[in-house]
Amino acid sequence: MADAGREVRNVIVIGSGPAGLTAALYTARANLKPLVIEGLEAGGQLMLTTLVENFPGFRQGIMGPELMGEMRAQAEHFGAEIIRGSVTSVDLLSRPYTVTTTDAEYHCRTLIIATGASARLLGLPSERALIGHGVSTCATCDGYFFRGKPIAVVGGGDSAMEEAMFLTRFASHVTVVHRRDTLRASKIMQDKAFANPKISFEWNADVEEITDTAKGEVTAIVLRNNVTGVRKEIPVDGVFVAIGHTPNTALFRGHLDTDPNGYIITHAGTRTSAPGVFACGDVQDHIYRQAITAAGSGCMAAIDAEKYLEGLPQHLGEATLTA
Amino acid sequence: MASDKVQTITDGNFDSTISGGKPVLVDFWAEWCGPCRRLAPTVEELAGHYDGKVVVGKLNVDENPNTTFKFSVRGIPTLLLFKGGQVVEQVVGLADTAALKKVIDKHVA
């Protein structure tokens, strides 16, 4: 395995969404020469969106992928080094910390975790079998395949409403399937969804199955009303799952304190349970989950890391490395 | 912006491409698909790595609906590996180079 010259970095940022790239921008401008390991889902969740209308500074809105391209270019402009690859393991027990990717091993004095969260699935075997054949978690990627076809969106939050409305551009009809009798989505999104003639709702509905795995394509979604117990099969060609996210924290299990849902616990800003390790963005936030709050916490992590490095005895990293 | 090692596969040349002697990796993609753009450098890397052993090509789903629908591709990015004209592997969504090499190596002598 390549060892990146036994060099000890001041800062490694894991993740390249709004949190990671803002942390990179600030640490780069502080002359800390951050290394950003972008990860598989580089650019984060905004890469899967279309028009972002609530990021301040863009009165006409900006396309998600374009916003991320700008953030990335801005961080690079100030000297952040961004590399492809995914982190396979971290060692936070000995210092300097070690971050291993599929290609190399890196060492750092501070680590900023911005690994975000990924779309959650229902967990049905039929769902897994039909991913790519009608089951999707990305409306902007896959809506195109359902021109003139009926589809279902599972979920009741803002993302589900956004997906449902986006999908009405292609689909003949969109059925929103939600397990409660009210939506969790914000008022503005609810109003838009209720007003859309192409969207209807199935309330108190649990998804039992997606058919037809034998055919290798989606033909229907089978629902069970969790109040009445009545089963119902709705013929659809596609099922879009938008039931929330799970934090990408598998790498840090056993190294850092997490809450029962797996989110990294932060205190006094972005500090985690390990000294010099900071977390920002959706990996530590299940409440706000916005591009702007992720970017804000990325800035906080950068400043926290900078302060931490200022207080670090000189060459601590190198000394322990040769020990 | 595909490198010259990555071929352009279309509805027109699809059959002749997959019926050649070598395994063929087809990347189903579209301009408007963010994750597809993320996968592009990985596909180019694979084309370089398997140069002469595996044909690597990209098929634009917008411009080539027949092949896309023939293989029930309803989500992108999707990678299909063909051997002897048959689909032998399928990878839906993002994957890194190391993981894809593992999948492809099973079919490369």
Side-chain angles (χ1 to χ4, degrees):
Chain A
M1 170 139 314
D3 192 0
R6 279 290 181 194
E7 180 191 1
V8 180
R9 295 268 182 169
N10 282 315
V11 184
I12 289 179
V13 179
I14 309 179
S16 57
L21 291 178
T22 305
L25 170 65
Y26 272 77
T27 49
R29 284 174 57 84
N31 209 20
L32 296 173
K33 299 185 173 58
L35 173 73
V36 180
I37 302 169
E38 66 174 20
L40 201 53
E41 296 175 45
Q45 293 169 47
L46 281 188
M47 296 300 285
L48 308 180
T49 64
T50 53
L51 194 65
V52 178
E53 292 182 300
N54 56 10
F55 200 90
F58 303 93
R59 73 169 93 171
Q60 309 290 347
I62 181 169
M63 298 304 278
E66 191 190 337
L67 178 59
M68 294 323 298
E70 288 296 324
M71 281 193 200
R72 187 188 176 92
Q74 192 178 359
E76 283 179 322
H77 173 71
F78 288 105
E81 183 188 347
I82 304 178
I83 57 165
R84 290 177 57 215
S86 324
V87 175
T88 51
S89 68
V90 294
D91 178 2
L92 304 181
L93 298 174
S94 57
R95 288 204 255 171
Y97 297 132
T98 302
V99 176
T100 307
T101 71
T102 37
D103 306 311
E105 206 172 273
Y106 301 92
H107 308 284
C108 58
R109 297 182 186 91
T110 65
L111 181 66
I112 296 179
I113 298 170
T115 49
S118 296
R120 197 160 75 199
L121 290 169
L122 294 160
L124 304 168
S126 52
E127 171 193 49
R128 183 150 292 279
L130 290 167
I131 280 181
H133 299 289
V135 174
S136 174
T137 56
C138 178
T140 56
C141 306
D142 303 335
Y144 160 85
F145 296 102
F146 303 94
R147 223 173 273 271
K149 312 267 192 210
I151 57 165
V153 171
V154 183
D158 272 346
S159 319
M161 293 312 108
E162 208 177 304
E163 300 238 316
M165 279 181 285
F166 175 77
L167 288 165
T168 58
R169 295 188 199 179
F170 305 98
S172 59
H173 187 81
V174 177
T175 305
V176 173
V177 175
H178 187 41
R179 60 186 170 144
R180 303 180 203 284
D181 61 0
T182 52
L183 295 174
R184 200 201 307 262
S186 59
K187 180 79 168 63
I188 183 168
M189 297 296 281
Q190 290 198 27
D191 290 348
K192 281 190 190 174
F194 289 139
N196 193 314
K198 274 180 144 184
I199 300 178
S200 66
F201 292 82
E202 287 291 334
W203 303 106
N204 300 314
D206 293 334
V207 181
E208 278 207 333
E209 209 198 336
I210 300 166
T211 61
D212 182 333
T213 48
K215 272 194 180 166
E217 59 185 52
V218 171
T219 57
I221 186 166
V222 182
L223 308 178
R224 185 181 168 279
N225 188 299
N226 56 34
V227 178
T228 64
V230 175
R231 280 199 175 71
K232 182 173 188 179
E233 186 171 319
I234 301 176
V236 290
D237 285 65
V239 176
F240 288 79
V241 182
I243 55 168
H245 292 83
T246 38
N248 298 319
T249 49
L251 281 173
F252 312 107
R253 225 152 272 161
H255 291 266
L256 297 175
D257 291 348
T258 55
D259 75 8
N261 294 318
Y263 288 88
I264 294 176
I265 296 170
T266 51
H267 61 94
T270 62
R271 287 163 183 78
T272 69
S273 55
V277 179
F278 306 92
C280 51
D282 284 11
V283 75
Q284 51 87 54
D285 167 27
H286 58 94
I287 299 170
Y288 306 106
R289 301 179 299 115
Q290 302 300 303
I292 186 65
T293 52
S297 70
C299 164
M300 290 162 64
I303 293 172
D304 289 344
E306 196 184 340
K307 291 240 169 74
Y308 176 86
L309 284 166
E310 280 167 9
L312 208 60
Q314 204 98 46
H315 305 307
L316 170 79
E318 288 82 349
T320 54
L321 189 72
T322 49
Chain B
M1 59 170 226
S3 78
D4 52 356
K5 292 209 169 77
V6 180
Q7 299 194 9
T8 300
I9 299 178
T10 64
D11 282 347
N13 70 12
F14 181 80
D15 286 336
S16 62
T17 306
I18 64 157
S19 57
K22 290 172 197 157
V24 182
L25 183 74
V26 184
D27 172 19
F28 291 80
W29 72 286
E31 205 68 61
W32 34 260
C33 160
C36 298
R37 286 198 289 271
R38 302 304 326 158
L39 190 65
T42 303
V43 171
E44 290 194 20
E45 221 174 283
L46 292 171
H49 179 79
Y50 291 105
D51 192 23
K53 292 191 195 124
V54 177
V55 176
V56 176
K58 291 167 77 83
L59 183 140
N60 184 316
V61 298
D62 251 339
E63 293 159 9
N64 303 286
N66 296 346
T67 309
T68 304
F69 280 81
K70 184 175 169 192
F71 292 97
S72 295
V73 173
R74 299 284 185 282
I76 49 173
T78 286
L79 295 174
L80 295 183
L81 183 68
F82 292 87
K83 201 177 178 183
Q86 301 295 314
V87 179
V88 290
E89 294 288 349
Q90 160 191 308
V91 178
V92 179
L94 289 169
D96 62 36
T97 312
L100 290 171
K101 278 182 184 166
K102 258 188 212 161
V103 171
I104 297 168
D105 282 343
K106 286 191 272 176
H107 304 278
V108 178

